[in-house]
Amino acid sequence: MDLEPEILATDESALLRQAYVDAFVDTKCDHYAKYIRAERTFSDGKRYEGYIWDCLRQPKRVTFKRFTDTIVRFDQVFVFADDHSRDRVIGSPLWPYAALSVARFHPDTLLKCLPQLPEDIYVFDSSVSWTLILTHEHDRKRRICCSVGLDVT
């Protein structure tokens, strides 16, 4: 088991992020246009303000336990986070790797690293046919987590 994630090169990260958006994100919705596509300049560079998970096509709610139980079934997973500014997300960890990068994790390592990662992360594998998402939002009972493309019932 790898103890550290592999941070993918800029071009490979860009390809995977674009494949993810193509597979799961409604890029025609107003929220995407206003908060993701339109970047603003912050003290730490150009960033977007929204959350990609607000634009997912047909997400299903899952529990955090379902999230963890599901990802450990895979040999490796890709992970990325929203590209937020420190000006907007104060006190919480931001993506600790290069901006817009994608990291390849062994699932057990990802679970151990969660406290050092942003609350909002996107997890998928090389098929880009499914995704599991952690969000910072909570309902009255628990943290909101989502899935697309997986039968996680």
Side-chain angles (χ1 to χ4, degrees), residues 6-151:
E6 175 191 0
I7 311 309
L8 304 181
T10 302
D11 57 343
E12 190 175 1
S13 290
L15 288 171
L16 280 171
R17 285 179 74 102
Q18 187 61 54
Y20 185 95
V21 167
D22 293 345
F24 306 116
V25 179
D26 178 2
T27 59
K28 294 181 178 21
C29 73
D30 290 339
H31 186 90
Y32 188 86
K34 187 174 180 179
Y35 296 106
I36 306 295
R37 186 177 299 123
E39 294 181 321
R40 283 191 41 210
T41 302
F42 293 94
S43 65
D44 52 356
K46 285 190 161 273
R47 306 275 192 254
Y48 58 82
E49 293 184 274
Y51 295 93
I52 291 173
W53 54 262
D54 278 326
C55 307
L56 292 173
R57 292 190 298 261
Q58 301 180 312
K60 295 179 184 171
R61 295 273 296 266
V62 296
T63 64
F64 182 76
K65 180 164 179 18
R66 179 68 65 195
F67 171 92
T68 59
D69 289 351
T70 301
I71 67 165
V72 296
R73 291 191 265 152
F74 296 92
D75 292 333
Q76 64 181 5
V77 292
F78 295 106
V79 181
F80 71 89
D82 289 298
D83 187 35
H84 287 155
S85 168
R86 294 197 182 285
D87 297 349
R88 286 198 65 242
V89 183
I90 299 167
S92 295
L94 291 174
W95 190 240
Y97 313 113
L100 301 173
S101 66
V102 174
R104 183 187 341 248
F105 279 88
H106 183 278
D108 290 331
T109 302
L110 173 59
L111 294 177
K112 289 177 184 160
C113 290
L114 283 178
Q116 289 81 44
L117 296 176
E119 291 180 295
D120 302 275
I121 60 169
Y122 305 86
V123 181
F124 59 103
D125 75 352
S126 61
S127 72
V128 196
S129 63
W130 62 267
T131 183
L132 288 161
I133 302 100
L134 295 180
T135 80
H136 69 278
E137 297 285 343
H138 289 76
D139 61 18
R140 292 185 188 112
K141 297 180 184 178
R142 61 182 68 102
R143 183 176 185 178
I144 296 175
C145 306
C146 302
S147 75
V148 177
L150 279 173
D151 182 15

